């Protein structure tokens, strides 16, 4: 990827000037905010139909009712020590100041929520804006009108495994999930997790 020249961006980020004047974001970190903003400002080509859980996505005809479009994403591949948490906080803040005030912060461990809070407050946010998924009862809707929902990759893997087991049972494949899989608690519950990601 380093051998390919990046496109020239034209996106002006919406950030408080003090983040640059005080050195809270470096030039390299600001570059990430700009490239992410450039991507988030447009959508992927085409329209799609989705089911109520967003598990099944299919290309939609031009005249399809209830078709949706997906916003473009952006990939950050920096290594250890580059300040990815500060970059993520800057990207979320840029969206936050435009009124897009619901974000999902996924990390390796639930203990890293302290690092997320540190980086978010450094760019001017409040610690209370970051809400751990574990605060919500399993299976209950996530009552969060705005904020940053913090969860882990392990939680997402657990949800996927349970969904696959349930799907195999519904389809009559005869592959019933093991007792361990059936009884494993799922943080947040399938529907509430999906509602947070949309």
């Amino acid at each position: 990827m380093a051998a390919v020249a990046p496109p020239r961006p034209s996106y002006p980020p919406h950030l408080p000037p003090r983040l640059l004047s005080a050195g809270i974001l470096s030039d390299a970190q600001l570059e990430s905010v700009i490239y992410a903003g450039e991507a988030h400002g447009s959508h992927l080509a085409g329209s799609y139909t989705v089911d109520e859980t967003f598990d099944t996505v299919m290309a939609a005809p031009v005249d399809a009712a209830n078709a949706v479009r997906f916003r473009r994403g952006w990939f950050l591949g920096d290594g250890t020590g580059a300040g990815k948490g500060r970059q993520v906080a800057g990207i979320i803040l840029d969206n936050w100041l435009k009124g897009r005030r619901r974000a999902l912060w996924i990390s390796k461990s639930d203990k890293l929520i302290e690092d997320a809070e540190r980086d978010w407050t450094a760019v001017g946010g409040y610690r209370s804006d970051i809400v751990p998924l574990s605060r919500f009862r399993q299976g209950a809707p996530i009552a969060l009108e705005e904020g940053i929902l913090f969860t882990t990759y392990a939680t997402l893997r657990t949800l996927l495994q349970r969904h696959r087991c349930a799907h195999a049972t519904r389809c009559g494949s005869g592959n019933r999930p093991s007792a361990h899989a059936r009884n494993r608690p799922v943080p947040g519950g399938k529907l509430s997790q999906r509602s947070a990601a949309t």
Side-chain angles (χ1 to χ4, degrees):
M1 291 178 67
V4 179
R8 182 185 295 272
S10 59
Y11 175 79
H14 292 68
L15 295 173
R18 69 173 183 82
L19 296 187
L20 304 180
S21 62
I24 296 172
L25 287 179
S26 67
D27 289 346
Q29 291 170 334
L30 177 62
E31 182 181 60
S32 295
V33 177
I34 292 172
Y35 276 117
E38 182 90 5
H40 296 159
S42 59
H43 293 80
L44 295 173
S47 298
Y48 302 86
T49 56
V50 297
D51 64 2
E52 62 181 13
T53 64
F54 276 70
D55 283 333
T56 304
V57 179
M58 300 180 63
V62 177
D63 57 349
N66 301 322
V68 298
R69 300 191 67 198
F70 293 108
R71 193 172 296 278
R72 287 175 57 203
W74 181 76
F75 175 79
L76 173 62
D78 287 347
T80 303
K84 291 187 292 297
R86 190 67 58 92
Q87 290 166 279
V88 169
I91 292 168
I92 292 175
L93 180 63
D94 181 39
N95 282 275
W96 191 277
L97 296 176
K98 291 178 183 163
R100 296 195 286 260
R101 298 196 167 190
R102 292 198 309 170
L104 180 62
W105 191 314
I106 308 172
S107 193
K108 179 180 179 181
S109 165
D110 55 4
K111 294 181 176 62
L112 294 176
I113 190 171
E114 295 177 2
D115 293 341
E117 292 170 342
R118 178 201 62 214
D119 290 321
W120 179 243
T121 55
V123 300
Y126 293 104
R127 188 177 299 271
S128 60
D129 293 330
I130 299 182
V131 181
L133 180 60
S134 59
R135 183 174 296 178
F136 299 94
R137 187 170 53 84
Q138 294 177 9
I142 298 175
L144 192 64
E145 291 298 323
E146 67 176 39
I148 303 167
L149 188 67
F150 186 91
T151 190
T152 64
Y153 293 111
T155 300
L156 300 183
R157 285 196 301 271
T158 301
L159 292 168
L160 179 61
Q161 290 168 359
R162 177 159 177 165
H163 172 67
R164 285 178 177 165
C165 290
H167 180 71
T169 302
R170 283 196 309 268
C171 293
S173 64
N175 297 325
R176 290 193 55 80
S178 66
H180 175 69
R182 289 196 306 268
N183 297 325
R184 182 186 305 145
V186 180
K190 182 172 185 288
L191 292 179
S192 60
Q193 178 69 29
R194 289 294 182 183
S195 66
T198 57

